[in-house]
Amino acid sequence: MEYLFWDVYDATLYTPSGDYALGEHPVKFKLIYLRDFEAKEIIKATNEQWELIGKEDLVNKYDKQLLSLWPNISKGDSLTLVTDEQGKSTFLFNDEKVGVIDDIAFSSDFLAIWLAENTSEPALRKKLLGN
């Protein structure tokens, strides 16, 4: 994903079948960052994206939880969301578990940032879905 002139991250979506439908689990979604970011910047961007896709009710809802899970990111670090069959979210930082969000709605809402039809990054969505 690029923002203006900067490469921000590489994203990869994994599913057992190789296909994805919004709300389907389990999934693995991995971001490898190409720049440094403070955790609070990533949370701010997450909220901005939720607002853009019409999920205003989620803005700031998970800030405290995410800030306790997500570290500051350096170039080359990865942040991965892994869901179980029910949709419970586990986050990995550089492939090491950093925490869980038990709210099963969170995982689909988080993935919607990239995978919803009204995402701000339709070209990335298309690549993630293999279209």
Side-chain angles (χ1 to χ4, degrees), residues 32-106:
I32 299 174
Y33 286 86
L34 306 173
R35 304 179 57 78
D36 297 349
F37 291 97
E38 290 183 20
K40 64 183 179 182
E41 293 174 305
I42 299 170
I43 293 165
K44 180 181 178 206
T46 299
N47 284 317
E48 289 169 354
Q49 290 302 310
W50 275 331
E51 193 167 14
L52 284 170
I53 62 172
K55 294 185 175 280
E56 293 88 358
D57 58 314
L58 300 177
V59 173
N60 301 317
K61 180 177 179 178
Y62 295 101
D63 290 7
K64 203 174 204 180
Q65 266 183 297
L66 293 174
L67 197 53
S68 73
L69 297 178
W70 292 351
N72 293 331
I73 299 287
S74 296
K75 182 179 179 179
D77 285 341
S78 66
L79 192 58
T80 305
L81 168 72
V82 178
T83 69
D84 65 13
E85 291 79 12
Q86 291 74 43
K88 184 170 81 172
S89 302
T90 299
F91 279 101
L92 310 174
F93 173 66
N94 293 331
D95 300 321
E96 297 290 327
K97 182 179 175 181
V98 291
V100 173
I101 295 182
D102 289 320
D103 180 349
I104 59 171
F106 171 82

